[in-house]
Amino acid sequence: MDMEMQRFKSEFFKALAHPLRIRILEILAEGDKSVNEIQLLAESEGSAVSQQLTVLKAKNIVTGTKEGNRVIYSLRDPMITELLDVAKRIFNNQLSETITILDRLKYTDKEE
């Protein structure tokens, strides 16, 4: 059972391992959007956005609902927003630590 859960987690994180996919999830965290709206907000080509939405949909991370002649995408689980926030905090913590180390090195270099 543990190996299946680890495999699921691995596949889940692989699905997130693309900058445009992350951007799409950040956009959808603000609310449901059509492909055109996502394309505009992501400042990316429609084909690239569609391709990445296909990956996210195949991994059950986003869902698409047909409304007339367009598809409206949404996050399948609102906890994705929390995951993105946690990832941002981890990144900021690492960045802060790096800046602190660089400041110490700069200060040490000035003393020499």
Side-chain angles (χ1 to χ4, degrees), residues 11-111:
E11 291 300 315
F12 177 82
F13 283 112
K14 282 181 194 176
L16 301 181
H18 191 283
L20 182 54
R21 285 184 224 142
I22 297 295
R23 182 65 187 125
I24 290 169
L25 295 176
E26 290 171 343
I27 290 167
L28 292 177
E30 297 171 5
D32 301 352
K33 304 276 187 285
S34 69
V35 175
N36 290 338
E37 291 171 315
I38 295 168
Q39 176 185 345
L40 184 66
L41 292 167
E43 299 177 352
S44 184
E45 296 178 12
S47 60
V49 168
S50 293
Q51 183 180 31
Q52 300 311 324
L53 281 167
T54 299
V55 172
L56 292 169
K57 194 172 177 187
K59 295 297 181 180
N60 291 317
I61 296 172
V62 301
T63 60
T65 306
K66 192 136 174 94
E67 287 187 4
N69 62 347
R70 60 187 196 147
V71 178
I72 303 299
Y73 286 91
S74 60
L75 297 177
R76 184 173 188 84
D77 189 325
M79 289 185 71
I80 294 289
T81 304
E82 293 177 40
L83 178 65
L84 295 172
D85 289 341
V86 168
K88 185 176 182 180
R89 288 197 308 263
I90 291 168
F91 172 78
N92 286 338
N93 288 343
Q94 290 179 353
L95 185 59
S96 294
E97 290 173 16
T98 301
I99 289 170
T100 300
I101 291 168
L102 290 173
D103 284 344
R104 285 184 192 147
L105 288 173
K106 191 169 37 172
Y107 180 73
T108 304
D109 287 346
K110 287 181 180 180
E111 288 183 341

